[in-house]
Amino acid sequence: MNTAKQYGKSSVAKLVKHKKVIVFGIFAVDISFYTSREVEAGETLIARDSKIGPGGKASNQAIASKKLGAETLLISRLGNDNFKDYAIGVWEKIGLKYLISIDNKNPTGKAGIFINNKTAENRVIVDPGASQNLTIKDFSLNQHLFNEGDIFLTQFEQGAETTIACLKKAKKKKMLTIFNPAPFNKISRDVFNYCNIITPNQVEAEQLSGLELKGKSDIKKAMHKIADLGVEKIIITLGKKGAAVFENNNLFYSHGKNFGKAIDTTGAGDCFNGALASQLALGKEIKEAVDFACSAAALSVLKKGTAESMPSLSMIKKFSSPKSK
């Protein structure tokens, strides 16, 4: 496979006393359709609106992290097509650093998203495209740029073997590893030994634990079952209800925030993960970082789109100020 390495040249102010956030995973172009209801099998439904924008979990998370104040580097893979130029333009506009390999055989990833206008809930189909061919080499060739204590964040949109290998390498390099197991995939038990923090949503936590999470007692049981697999810290995101956090055998909750009517929940989980990583990189303790991430995610649902809905630091300060409450 022919590849070429391309480097971002954006100038980013260095945060002297802070750690970097390294995000590994895919970029995809999101094609979103806003509908009045769910489409039935065999039916053609006229959308009320549509939108094309930047997406892919890793790219979304990296953009959120950068916009919220952390020095952030995205490692990804793109096709040699117009969407490659589009992605680079998005990243450079906000000053996000990136390291990408170019795939001359496979196209840049794409996602089809259906959003119900009434509930703001979404259904997503992703074709990772070139990003599916990300390998451990994409991480290893650049590991000289990573320092002990830097934050490594990845997901499951690229190949499972690559994801696990990168987590293992990052942990060995003494980076703080965050694994967002989405979309859920078969997981080797070994992977849990390489995760400092795992961030499933409620559905993924049910799949990991084998338990149905109907209430707080179920969440507590699930936390213990996941912890027994070898994870140090567990954060289960609960949508508008906030997040549950398990650390040092203690369980606490960060309550969800409500800043207005939700318009599009697509990317809220990515916003949470990017915000969490940014605050840990900036030296915040996990409780403060999770509270902040809940606020960021709550703001992201007020706008259409994924990457485009990631809030800025000034936006969070504005909505979190006493005058706005």
Side-chain angles (χ1 to χ4, degrees):
M1 181 176 296
N2 296 322
T3 60
K5 183 72 70 176
Q6 184 158 348
Y7 298 87
K9 299 179 181 178
S10 304
S11 60
V12 179
K14 209 156 187 182
L15 303 174
V16 178
K17 294 184 180 180
H18 299 141
K19 306 298 183 181
K20 293 192 295 293
V21 175
I22 315 298
V23 188
F24 183 94
I26 89 163
F27 168 86
V29 175
D30 287 346
I31 306 171
S32 301
F33 298 92
Y34 296 84
T35 63
S36 58
R37 57 176 174 79
E38 305 300 329
V39 63
E40 301 293 337
E43 178 188 24
T44 299
L45 185 65
I46 302 299
R48 292 191 172 184
D49 193 11
S50 63
K51 184 178 180 64
I52 297 177
K57 286 187 176 298
S59 180
N60 293 340
Q61 291 172 9
I63 288 171
S65 174
K66 173 66 183 71
K67 290 182 74 173
L68 294 171
E71 182 180 356
T72 307
L73 172 66
L74 172 65
I75 300 174
S76 192
R77 187 176 182 87
L78 304 176
N80 193 10
D81 49 31
N82 290 337
F83 287 146
K84 173 199 73 176
D85 301 327
Y86 174 64
I88 290 170
V90 169
W91 299 332
E92 293 199 336
K93 185 176 181 179
I94 66 165
L96 173 66
K97 289 183 176 179
Y98 56 89
L99 285 164
I100 61 170
S101 50
I102 305 300
D103 191 324
N104 288 314
K105 291 187 176 180
N106 296 286
T108 299
K110 291 174 281 295
I113 305 174
F114 302 87
I115 301 100
N116 186 317
N117 273 329
K118 293 180 180 178
T119 65
E121 295 297 325
N122 61 80
R123 301 288 185 274
V124 184
I125 300 172
V126 179
D127 173 10
S131 298
Q132 189 63 32
N133 293 318
L134 276 165
T135 71
I136 185 63
K137 289 183 180 179
D138 291 287
F139 178 88
S140 298
L141 288 174
N142 301 300
Q143 62 180 317
H144 63 284
L145 300 171
F146 318 146
N147 300 312
E148 181 178 325
D150 282 343
I151 314 298
F152 178 73
L153 171 61
T154 193
Q155 325 73 28
F156 242 164
E157 284 189 311
Q158 62 280 344
E161 288 186 9
T162 295
T163 300
I164 294 166
C166 289
L167 282 165
K168 185 176 181 179
K169 277 260 190 185
K171 189 73 181 292
K172 188 175 181 180
K173 199 168 176 66
K174 297 183 179 179
M175 301 172 75
L176 188 150
T177 57
I178 304 175
F179 178 37
N180 175 218
F184 189 78
N185 203 337
K186 290 182 179 179
I187 302 177
S188 164
R189 188 182 177 108
D190 290 344
V191 73
F192 299 103
N193 297 318
Y194 314 134
C195 305
N196 293 111
I197 302 173
I198 191 167
T199 60
N201 64 19
Q202 185 169 334
V203 173
E204 292 149 4
E206 289 178 341
Q207 292 168 313
L208 282 169
S209 66
L211 299 171
E212 188 176 358
L213 306 189
K214 294 182 178 179
K216 289 188 175 182
S217 63
D218 297 321
I219 290 173
K220 186 174 182 179
K221 290 176 186 176
M223 289 291 202
H224 281 283
K225 287 198 73 170
I226 298 170
D228 287 343
L229 296 171
V231 185
E232 295 176 19
K233 298 178 178 69
I234 305 155
I235 302 170
I236 300 177
T237 56
L238 303 169
K240 62 184 179 182
K241 294 181 180 178
V245 184
F246 190 80
E247 180 187 31
N248 297 327
N249 212 34
N250 293 314
L251 174 62
F252 62 88
Y253 287 84
S254 179
H255 298 294
K257 311 295 192 298
N258 184 355
F259 297 118
K261 179 177 171 54
I263 294 175
D264 185 351
T265 59
T266 317
D270 295 337
C271 183
F272 179 94
N273 279 274
L276 173 72
S278 75
Q279 297 310 292
L280 293 174
L282 295 171
K284 300 293 194 302
E285 295 296 328
I286 192 165
K287 188 177 189 312
E288 188 177 358
V290 170
D291 285 342
F292 181 94
C294 284
S295 293
L299 284 172
S300 75
V301 305
L302 303 182
K303 292 177 65 177
K304 290 183 177 180
T306 51
E308 295 161 309
S309 70
M310 302 301 162
S312 64
L313 196 56
S314 61
M315 188 176 177
I316 289 184
K317 288 179 178 177
K318 175 185 174 182
F319 277 82
S320 300
S321 67
K323 289 182 180 179
S324 66
K325 294 178 182 179

